[in-house]
Amino acid sequence: MKGWRGTLSGVVARRTVQAAALLLFFGLVLAARRHGDAGPSAWWQGFFLLDPLVLLLTWLAGHAVPAVLWLSLATVALTVLLGRVFCGWFCPLGTIHAIAGRFLDFCWPRRKQPEHWSRWQLAKYYLLFAVLLSAACGVHAGAVLDPLVLLYRTTVAVLLPGVQWALEDGSNVLGLSEPARQLLRERVTEVEHQAFLGSGLILALFVALLALNRWRPRFWCRYLCPLGALLGAAALRPFLRRVARESCNQCELCGLNCQGAAAVTPGGEWLAAECLGCLNCTAACHRGSLGFRLAWPWQAAPACGSGTGLDRSRRRFLSGLRGLAGAAAGGLAGMFLLRATPQSRGSTGSENLVRPPGALAEREFLQRCTACGLCMRICPTGCLQPTLGEAGLEGLWTPRVVPRIGRCEYGCTLCGHACPTGAIAALTIEEKHAVKIGIALIDRSRCIPYAYARDCGTCVEACPFPEKAIRLVDVEVQFHDGRRQRTKVVSQPMVDPDRCTGCGGCVKECTFKDEPAIRVVSANETRTPSVKPFLDMQPKPAGKPPQPAASPPGENPYVG
Amino acid sequence: MSNYSRRDFLAHSAAAGMLAWQADRLLAAGDAAAARPADMAIARWKGPEPKDATDPQLAGIATKLTQQAIDALGGMRRFVKRGDVVWVKPNIGWDRKPEQAGDSNPQVVAALVAMCLEAGAKTVKVGDYTVHAAVKTYETSGIAPAVKTPGGKMVFLDKQRFKETAINGERIKTLLLYPEIIECDLVINAAIVKHHVLSNATLCMKNYMGVMDNRAPFHQDFAACLCDLTRFMKPRLCVLDAVRILKDHGPVGGRMEDVAVKTTVAAGVDIVALDALGLELMGKEPGETRKAASIIKYAEESGLGKANYRGLALKELAVT
């Protein structure tokens, strides 16, 4: 039988696909922005529709998923057929880790060691188990570790603003500021000088994960990635499996080049669940001993040479169970500890936690939000920012409205239409105008007409409602002009709680640019009736009194 | 002829020269009143009435009114020299459609751009420091698409590039101004007539607030601040767009009930006169426009112009 030769083309093909998938990922990030009056696009959600972990976690925690997410079962089917090719060929974060590993080895060369399976690679399965268990109990927080979510968030909150900063400020130096700004405006984002609060922590996590490649190639993919673990579980016995011919002399060239450390020992058993299908081994093999062949799941994988297989003794099995017990304990403890915050106990609302319009009630919101950052990307004013501690650790990096940075735009409903998991409901514009995300609150110790007896009214001017939710009241006030006390009429702003939706236009334009004299707090938000401080005092419509709405609990309060 | 001396020759030549030099002045004195260019022109539409504010005919009407108003002032060549860089400064503050009368009429702006280019302007830039997100606002207002046809250049203002500039006004000593605008050879103020919740009306003088950053402190003393800014901007050509006006709930607007069709465009060199006309066009009780009236009065007292526009060289046109 002829040796399996010429498989280098497989590596070239894989790298081409990887590069294309990486470019597609970034391209879809760039495409996720407002295009004139064109409506929302399904492309925005791009890779999340291929992510079975997002599907599973959201389904477990939120008991409901948008129908399009079921598309991700295609990834599972692909994995059952071909193994973890998603990780090796498509996953953009995997590609970045592969590049980072090679780059680190280039900068700081090291002696290559054959990579063999280590029990530490089980860590990702334990992590997945813990994450799934806590999701089944309603905590969705594990989704922040989904690789696609992680990369999307990092791209949106750190990488793109970094590129934007470099283009904006660098082009000033080079005298190309207008072309650079035009490029940014037309291709990247319409938000000038976009930046995100607390992006340093997102960057730190990303850099730390990249740096781990120096210690073990594709550290994240081998040891941590919960999506990799999920796909690994689907790839225990894939149809496509690696086989070795007897010509193998256990030279370990395959081990030196293996990205997933899939072989248990030199020439030992090959673990399909750990193989990323990268084809490095077949390309590296000088004797042409390695190749991939189709096999039925019930057919055992042939081990090559005399190498040993995985220790499948009862002792090992039990120790694996003990590991699962540890993961379960960790997952449950983590869930309780994550939840043991004043916000989660409902004893306080964080006044700085103003959620985007259409966000579900906080508990349901957290059971769906992956903190992917798509809403922050799509927001045309940059008002959506990642939380740090405002929503507790459970809500880390979930979106909140920061009106000092941008107003929630009157005519925009993009975030709800972009959200891949339905954490933010897709509202119509009429629904949006009826949804309150908070209420403006005037700080009379700073507000110019109140504290300094001068006219201002910038907040009134900025209020987007034609009829205004902030109105001026002429009040006769006393002030001192330095010589004597005088009286004058000043127009003081007053907020109408019936009308104010908390969009924050007033905060954005407030004359005080450091700490505004008007703020938006979440108090009057529609999604939490229990904290609503105001009675609805709008005049009764003529005719029949309104019928009490009968909507079963848990149903989306914004739709229908 | 032999005694026609050199002295005589010089004396006669000088006299003839003087005569020739003075001749056109003497001749011109006869129809001085007719040749003296108008200070202000009001073009009113007298053709078939448009149905309402959404009538598509308003586009053509706006173009005609603008062209004739400028022609009545002596044409754009009076203001634009060959090779000039011109900035047309409409009001594009708000993400509103043309029929909502939240921003200057796109056809008025486009007509001005076309006339500037015809008059030999090198570049005609159009831009405003929007309140709502600029990319969307430029499109929604209809101004970006309309300006593209004649060849105007929409410019997005960059917050980083506002520069503190000494204006040495009465109230304001320095302002954050946009250098690209104030360095232009001509800034044409193209303001829409709109209600404003703080100043009762926003007209040409208030339209200048689009060239500056940190505008909010102006609200503490509109009259003095607007006069300082206007004095610094040295208005040479202002256009008042009253094709549609926003009578209430300004400056944001958004309710079609508040939009009135006035099919009028005025142009002139006296900004105070135009603002006085604009306030008249609002058609409100004096009590409702006290603040705007006080700004105009203050500007007149500061010597920026005449509020009684009928006392100027005024041309009133009926356009059909």
Side-chain angles (χ1 to χ4, degrees), chain A residues 34 37 169 172 178 181 185 190 192-193 407 448 454-458 461 463-464 466-468 472 511, chain B residues 94-96 131 133 135-136 156-161 196-198 216 219-220 249 251-253 255:
Chain A
R34 180 161 70 177
D37 283 334
D169 284 34
N172 285 350
E178 191 40 42
R181 275 163 177 74
R185 206 161 47 226
E190 60 181 283
E192 273 189 351
H193 318 310
R407 67 171 63 71
I448 289 173
R454 290 185 186 184
D455 279 330
C456 180
T458 313
E461 186 184 10
C463 180
E467 304 86 353
K468 301 293 178 193
L472 290 174
T511 309
Chain B
W94 313 92
D95 187 16
R96 293 279 181 257
V131 179
V135 175
K136 179 97 188 302
F156 289 87
L157 273 58
D158 178 355
K159 192 174 170 61
Q160 274 185 334
R161 280 189 253 174
H196 193 284
V197 65
L198 304 180
H219 296 165
Q220 291 163 34
H249 297 120
V252 179
R255 288 176 13 136

